[in-house]
Amino acid sequence: SLADIERGFKVLKSEIEIGPVYHRLPERIRAHASICFMALILHRVMRSRLKAADAGYTPERALEQLQRIQHHRVRLNGGEPVAGVSTPSTEQNEVLHALGIEKPAAPEQLALL
């Protein structure tokens, strides 16, 4: 419906923060439209899963939590690189569980510094 389309554009502009981009080439216009459409679908899937899990998070707040998870790769004195993922907090674990996503894994789990 028209109202659903209008809500979708509002979400793209405000919550997903996709601004106007001016393209001339048809393939770039189609690519931009495809990316916007996929972002909107992902936003709606996140909102639906969070609501179904009664998690109490909006997609924006969930993404804020997940952005704090860090992946590090360190090489000291020319040695072999060591990779690790920060230990997810309780809130991050709740969001991952509500979205049905496995915890990010690396060879070592690193505590936040």
Side-chain angles (χ1 to χ4, degrees):
S1 72
L2 184 58
D4 193 36
I5 292 169
E6 292 292 334
R7 275 192 303 274
F9 278 114
K10 181 180 176 193
V11 167
L12 283 173
K13 286 192 223 171
S14 61
E15 296 174 24
I16 301 176
E17 298 179 4
I18 293 179
V21 177
Y22 302 100
H23 298 289
R24 291 183 329 197
L25 301 175
E27 62 268 10
R28 290 190 180 181
I29 294 169
R30 281 192 294 277
H32 182 79
S34 296
I35 290 169
C36 291
F37 180 72
M38 287 185 283
L40 183 59
I41 294 298
L42 287 172
H43 185 275
R44 288 184 177 185
V45 167
M46 282 183 70
R47 185 178 62 206
S48 173
R49 287 185 180 184
L50 291 167
K51 186 176 180 179
D54 197 27
Y57 289 97
T58 63
E60 296 76 31
R61 200 161 148 243
L63 287 173
E64 285 174 11
Q65 288 294 325
L66 296 179
Q67 286 176 343
R68 295 182 182 143
I69 297 174
Q70 300 177 7
H71 179 267
H72 300 278
R73 184 179 172 131
V74 179
R75 181 186 306 246
L76 298 173
N77 298 326
E80 289 296 315
V82 177
V85 176
S86 60
T87 304
S89 68
T90 305
E91 293 85 10
Q92 291 164 341
N93 281 327
E94 288 174 5
V95 171
L96 291 169
H97 180 70
L99 294 174
I101 299 172
E102 293 182 25
K103 293 179 190 176
E108 293 184 40
Q109 197 73 21
L110 303 175
L112 289 174
L113 301 175

